[in-house]
Each structure stands twice: as structure tokens, then as C-alpha cells.
Amino acid sequence: MIFRRQTLRRRALGGLLLSVILAVPVSAAPVTLNLKDAEISALVESMSVLTGKNFIVDPRVKGRVTIISAKAMDEKELYQVFLAVLGVHGFAAVPGDNVIKIVPAAGAKQESIPTVDRRGGAEPDQIVTRVIQVQNVSAAQIVPILRPLIPPQGHLAAYTPTNVLIISDSAANVERIASIIARVDLASNEEVEIVALRHASATEIVRVLTALEQGKARNDPAAAVGTPPRMVADERTNSILLSGDKASRLRLRALVTHLDTPLDSGGNTQVVYLRYAKAKDLMTVLQGVSKSLSSDAARSAPMPGQVPGAAPGGGSSSSSASLVDIQADAATNSLVITAPPEMIRSLRAIIAQLDIRRAQVLVEAVIAEISAEKTAQLGVQWAVGSSNAIGFTNFDAGTSSLANILGLAAQADAGDLTKLDAARVPQGIQLGVGDFTGDNRFGALISALAKDADTNVLSTPTVVTLDNEEAEIIVGQNVPFVTGSYTTSTSSGSSASQVGNPFQTIQREDIGIKLKVKPQINEGNAVKLEISQEVSNLAPSANASTQGPTTNKRAIKTNVLVENGQILVLGGLIDDKIDESAQKVPLLGDVPLLGNLFRYRSTTKLKRNLMVFLHPVILRDAGQGTLHTDSKYSYIRDQQLAARTREVSLLPDVQSPVLKPQEEVRAQGTILDTRPSPPAPPPAPLPPPAPAAEFGFGNK
């Protein structure tokens, strides 16, 4: 059945159309649809009858439509035309479970429109939502490009975390946008190629080609549009990694092939400047390594006419080794290497690993000694003499003995006090009583001594040295020690022999504080130290010219393992000693109370605490070295400033020296004081000459 309509006018014609359609039984027969200026609500009613679908029309859906059709359409085609008419007039159909809602298109995206994928079966004019996964480009960058292609009532947004696009619009437009995205979302044509080199150095070729590309970009700005090619050198495999578009990679690969050619002489000479290592020390290591590399290369390369894998002839190793020559230039601290390119690359790789900044070690040794000595002596010595006998008690009391005192008294009686031996003058209190004028002479010598000595010594020698380098610091005196004396005798005829040309041999030794250390930094923060520590001084009570000086010596020699910044005790001594001695006259010295007149007692108490500590600090960079240097510098300057506050009484215009502030040192670049010295004050006027009589030269 073919049903034709010419014109429907207003609601009367619409009702007539509806009555006619209802009179026609619903069937699958095609229908030719022609409408002119018909109410859209009438069209919705007709579509409900023809397609069997239920519609809910929003009150805002109003207007008149015109449809001109030249051929009959089936049910599916009619519904597609219906959706197209709604879209033209700004409305949309939102399908539900049992009903289709006709609403304005601006609010359709907020309704329960279907979410489809690329194989979705929605009608072309159906409002749908689609989520498109973007693989190779950023979804947020595509949104501004696609925004003009979406109508105002549509929706387009990017979700950055998952790099997807969300689109709400008609199914046809969504499919068009999806096809555009598929053409834009392409993998970059930049690939990475690895070009292995046989003769040239990868680092050197990358440097040359990089300079070439930079110069090309400066001269031709148009050529710099786009992503420039990138080149990276892999020194381990002597390869170059090329990244960029295919044309750029092809051009660079051709240049690399032309540069990677062997030299005509079969060798090469390079000068390698060292930054931290010593050229002469490194030359010895490289010469041994080059011999090993030459031997390996000779064994791996077969001789001409030799079966691969067979043992090479004996002359191959020597010929390969003769091509390698390594010399050190001490003036510039550089190495001159002549070798095949492969050998030079291997040697440069070894040099790069050996020529590194070595860490330094700050070693502080703390010598702390506290000692206390107390001595008490008390005794009485007697002397009795007559015309027939003499007797006395002379205890072993050193310079306080009775015999020594009597000898000094005899010298004093002689009237020549200048001949007194200072070494024989006793210490302490010496009190003598007696009578030596008559026939019966007697005398008593009372000796008393109390001595209290305390010592508190704290020494902190500090030295900084490189890793695996020995350092030594000495603070003290160079003291001569007599090792022998020689004389010669001369005689002539009957004359007596005479002594002539006497001389002595001496040996000088350092007396004071010595610190010798050799650190070795292990992997991590541990430091192995070879320590030799010595503290020596001259004993003040043993300076006899016949025996020479006596030294007190405290020395430690050991190997320890200390963590960075840890304080470790190297050794020490804790000594607590009491010496008591008593001398007496038998029988008389045992009498209570009165026996003290025939005794000589001495008590000495010595308590000594000595400890040696070690504090190493690893200085791995210049910043740590500056930190510790600044602390020491500030300490010395503070001590100098404190000393400057004390005036020099005899020279009031003279100030004690002081270091410059660190800020001035950094600003001026020198630690010397370059400021001009203040002008000297004008000399004071001389006083008028005094009369000669005032100085004792005048006539009285």
C-alpha cells in the first residue's frame, strides 16, 4: 500500500492525517512521507503509529516541519528521517527501556543517552556518548583541535590520567570525530638506531656531528622546525645511538660511515690531559695494561693463511705490542699515547676510571695527660766529734745528706761563695744546730721537704692527606745528643805529651709531638689508618753534662679501622704509684718518739692518666674541606682577637697580629693583608738634657 499526503494544515489537517493513518493497518509496506509546515507533535504521533514506538514529548518541543520524499521508505528509514528532522530543529530522541523521550538537544547529553563503542549499532542521528582511547598523543592537546567540530549542544572533554576523550553528540558526528582522531593518533616516526664503529671514537664523532647540526640550525632556521635528530655515544661498546625521523637518521648514518674509516698509517696518537692523577704513576699502569691487551688481540686474530681458531705464531704479540707507545709529560701532566684506535679507546676508558678526584682525610690525634706528684721528706742527721773520736749519721738523702751540707759549709767558711756548685744545693728546708767551738763538738741537721706538682697536657696535632698518601707533622725541637768525644796527644822530643784538637760528635733528634699517618678509605665510610704517634720531652732533672739529656717518650704504632667521624682510643696508661722509704739508726731509730731523731723518711705518690684518641673525617669534596677549614680558621682568629685585647705594656702602639675575616679573604682573593699600614705616629719631643751631676758624673 502506498500512502500519499500533500499538505497538512494546522491541527485539523493533523487530526485528519492521524485518522487516516489509524485506519490503515500497520504493516511492513513502504510509505512515502511528504509533509509541509506540519506540527512536530503530529509528526511524533504519526511516527509512533508507523514504527510502534512510544514517545514522551517535552513541553519545550514545538515547531513546524517540512518533509519532501520522492520514494517510499520502510520502518527503519522512516525512523532515521524522524531523528534527522528532530536534529535539524534542535531536538533529540533519548531512548529508554520502553519509551523514547523527545527533548531539546541542548539537554540531551545530560539524559541517559547510550554509550557506544566503534561497533555500536546506534542510528546516525541518535545522540550517543563515546569514550575514545588515545594511544600515542596527549588527549588534552587534541581537545582544542576538535572543539570547533562539535556543535554547541555537544560535549568534548579529555581525562588526563587515562589519556581518553569523552564525546557526546550524534552518532554520525561522533564517528567522524573518531576517524579524525585515528588519523592524528599515530606513533612517531622517530626510531632509534645503533651504529657500531670499528675505527673511530664514538665520543669524537658525536661531538663533530653535533657541532655540524647546531651550525646548520643557526644558518637555516627553517630547517630547525620540528624535532631535531639526537645522537648519544656509548663508550663501552663504541657505538652511536641515532634518534629522529627516517631521513635524518639516513643522512647521519651516511656521515658516520664516511668518518669511521681507518687511518693510512694504521695507528693514531692522542694527548690525554689528566685532572687528578699523576702522569708518571699512571704511565706505568697503562704500559702493563697495553701489553695485556696486545697479547689478547694477537691471540684472537689469526695469522694470514692460518686456520681460524688455531694458535697464532710467536711474532704476532711482539708486533702488536710494538705499535703501542705511552709516554708521560710531567710539565703538563698529560699522557701521549700512540696505538691503534681500538687500543686507544680501551686505554682512554681505563684512564677515565683512574683519573678521578681522590678523597682526603682529616686526622686529629688527641693526647690527653693528667698527672699529680706529691713528695714529703723528713729526717735528722747527727755529727759528734772530739779530740779522740768522731761519729756521724749520713743518710742517703741526695743533696740533703750531711756530708754534702758540711762540704758546702766548708766552702762558705773559705769565703769564696762563687765556687759553690749549684747542683749540690739541697732542696727544701735545712736547719742545723750544734756547737763546734770546744773540744766536744756536736751538730744536728734537720731536713724537711714537701713537693706538690700537677700536670695537665692536652695536645691535638691535626694533619690532612690524600687517600693512600702518607703524611707527617712534627711540632718540637731538634735537640743535640753527644754520641762520643775524641782527643789527640802531641809530643816533641823530651817534652811532655799535651792534649790537642779535642772534639765531640753529636746526633740531633726531634723532641716534641710527632704524628705520621697513612689513611686508606674502604668502600663506604670506614678508614683504615696506619698510625705512628709519639710524644717526647726533656726531663728537667736529668741534664748532667756527663750523661747527656734524658727524654720522656710516649709512642704508639698501630693499624686501626675507624668509621668516618668516629672517635677511637688508640691506647693509654693509668698509673698510680706510692713509694715509701725509711732510713734509721739501729735500736735508736726504734725508740718511740725519740727514735724520730735518728730516722730519715721519704714518701712519693705519683698518679698519671694518659690517653691517646683518634678522630678521622673523610673530606670527599671541596665543600666538606671548606667547612672544616672555616671552623679551624675562625678558632685561630678568635684566639688572636682575644690576645689583642691585652695591651703590650712596653710597646703601647704595637698591636698583635690577627688573621683577616673570611669574608674579606673571599672578596679579595688573598689571605694576605693588602691594606696599607697606618702611618707611624710622630716622634715625641726629646726632654731637655739633664745636668751631668744627676747621673753621677759631675763633680761633687
Side-chain angles (χ1 to χ4, degrees), residues 22-34:
L22 291 177
V24 179
V26 178
S27 64
V31 176
T32 301
L33 185 61
N34 287 290

Side-chain angles (χ1 to χ4, degrees), residues 25 64 104 106 147 151 177 240 249 255 284 318 320 424 437 507 580 623 625 692:
R64 297 180 177 277
R147 181 73 69 183
I177 297 298
I240 299 178
R249 286 186 280 110
L255 293 175
T284 306
S318 60
S320 299
R424 295 175 57 189
T437 58
Q507 180 180 354
E580 291 184 330

Side-chain angles (χ1 to χ4, degrees), residues 168-180:
S168 292
D169 200 4
S170 64
N173 195 36
V174 169
E175 186 64 26
R176 181 174 70 97
I177 297 298
S179 64
I180 295 175

